Amino acid sequence: MSRPRCLAVLIVFAALFAAFDGSTAPRLPRQIKGADGAPMTLVPKGEFIMGSPLGTYIFGDNEAPRRRVHLEAFYIDKFEVTNARFRKHLTPNEDYPGSFKNDDQPVVGVSWFQAREYCGRVKKRLPTEAEWEKAARGTDGRSYPWGNQPATCRLAIMGETVPSCSRGYTTWKVGSRPLGASPYGAMDMAGNVMEWVADWYLGAYYGQAPPKNPKGPKAGKLRVLRGGAWFNSKVLLRASFRTGFAPGDSNHGIGFRCAKTATRGFVEAPARRTRMARRP
């Protein structure tokens, strides 16, 4: 066989090999729509820096130790679940004045059980605590979704001298602070409302959590809240801040968003045929 012909054969074999190489497989779409029509953004698989150094903050060491955690790929709602979407399926546990009731504001007054039920009804689930934190801060250990600059009303709906960035006693429309988006494009991961996640709360859990796909303690009395609310100070808006709350309770500062595992089927848009996602 001549040399040019040998080279041609080698090139063909190399192309065929590359076609079956997992590294060249089509990538997961960066954004999909859930069964409720809500846009969801991709958080790729891999490691991220979770938690805070020991002794860093005044709320104890429930964010410590700071460590690397590996997660599989998943999708998370780009926005907090709104009143309009929630009320198609459920009625909030508590009702609040008109300043909380606009269709595009995040739903509040929902218990952990209601948040879980809503996500299940639209073929999603609550994110784990680790998933929520990675979606909020990316992989580099930043303090806030936008970086290490302290929170301001340009970046988050928060409490300053007057709650809710001088608007008063209310949440804002979801996505009102695009400058505060997370590295993956998720909005309001700091401020507006605190968010329920799937895990039981344990202050010392980080010291015993597995380094891959942690799902929280097996049992407990409280569920985890993340993200800070419209009346909270900048310290509580940090991406690593965590606290516990009774799962049956609710208030005017608690909402949620949903997630979906990327290695399973997902719905691209409401009323469309379910399409299987490719493995990352």
Side-chain angles (χ1 to χ4, degrees):
M1 186 181 295
S2 67
R3 185 174 179 180
R5 188 174 179 184
C6 286
L7 287 174
V9 170
L10 288 174
I11 290 171
V12 169
F13 275 107
L16 289 171
F17 179 80
F20 290 97
D21 184 5
S23 64
T24 62
R27 298 189 177 206
L28 290 165
R30 290 187 177 181
Q31 188 166 298
I32 62 171
K33 282 188 178 180
D36 55 355
M40 304 186 78
T41 186
L42 175 67
V43 180
K45 70 175 181 179
E47 286 189 344
F48 79 108
I49 299 172
M50 187 172 184
S52 300
L54 190 68
T56 304
Y57 294 100
I58 62 174
F59 301 101
D61 289 321
N62 70 339
E63 301 173 26
R66 184 178 171 100
R67 68 210 193 285
R68 290 189 172 274
V69 173
H70 182 280
L71 297 177
E72 295 302 316
F74 65 97
Y75 287 95
I76 194 164
D77 284 345
K78 185 174 181 177
F79 304 106
E80 294 156 334
V81 174
T82 62
N83 285 318
R85 295 194 194 283
F86 187 84
R87 291 178 188 275
K88 288 181 180 179
H89 302 275
L90 297 165
T91 300
N93 192 41
E94 295 185 71
D95 202 14
Y96 290 95
S99 60
F100 292 94
K101 290 186 176 180
N102 290 338
D103 284 352
D104 54 12
Q105 287 176 282
V107 66
V108 296
V110 295
S111 69
W112 180 89
F113 297 104
Q114 287 185 308
R116 180 182 64 174
E117 184 175 355
Y118 173 88
C119 292
R121 288 191 182 195
V122 297
K123 302 178 182 180
K124 303 180 192 177
R125 57 175 173 78
L126 284 173
T128 66
E129 182 173 18
E131 287 175 335
W132 190 98
E133 187 167 328
K134 183 176 182 180
R137 75 192 308 192
T139 60
D140 58 7
R142 61 183 60 190
S143 297
Y144 299 92
W146 53 84
N148 292 315
Q149 176 188 346
T152 68
C153 279
R154 291 179 61 252
L155 300 166
I157 305 304
M158 57 181 285
E160 289 190 313
T161 55
V162 178
S164 197
C165 294
S166 299
R167 182 181 281 189
Y169 188 80
T170 183
T171 55
W172 289 52
K173 173 184 176 180
V174 297
S176 293
R177 294 295 184 268
L179 293 178
S182 82
Y184 304 106
M187 303 292 183
D188 298 313
M189 300 295 282
N192 219 12
V193 292
M194 297 191 80
E195 300 178 17
W196 289 115
V197 296
D199 307 33
W200 289 108
Y201 174 79
L202 177 65
Y205 177 67
Y206 282 17
Q208 55 191 262
K212 187 173 183 178
N213 301 316
K215 292 180 170 54
K218 293 183 178 180
K221 295 182 178 180
L222 307 176
R223 294 286 182 174
V224 176
L225 284 174
R226 304 295 299 252
W230 55 269
F231 49 78
N232 288 143
S233 69
K234 60 188 177 185
V235 177
L236 303 189
L237 270 62
R238 293 177 297 104
S240 58
F241 176 74
R242 59 193 296 263
T243 190
F245 203 72
D249 290 348
S250 55
N251 69 34
H252 58 318
I254 296 177
F256 69 102
R257 74 183 74 213
C258 304
K260 196 167 185 68
T261 305
T263 53
R264 297 176 184 174
F266 62 80
V267 177
E268 284 198 313
R272 289 185 182 180
R273 184 177 60 185
T274 299
R275 175 182 171 186
M276 295 304 294
R278 296 181 181 272
R279 292 186 177 273

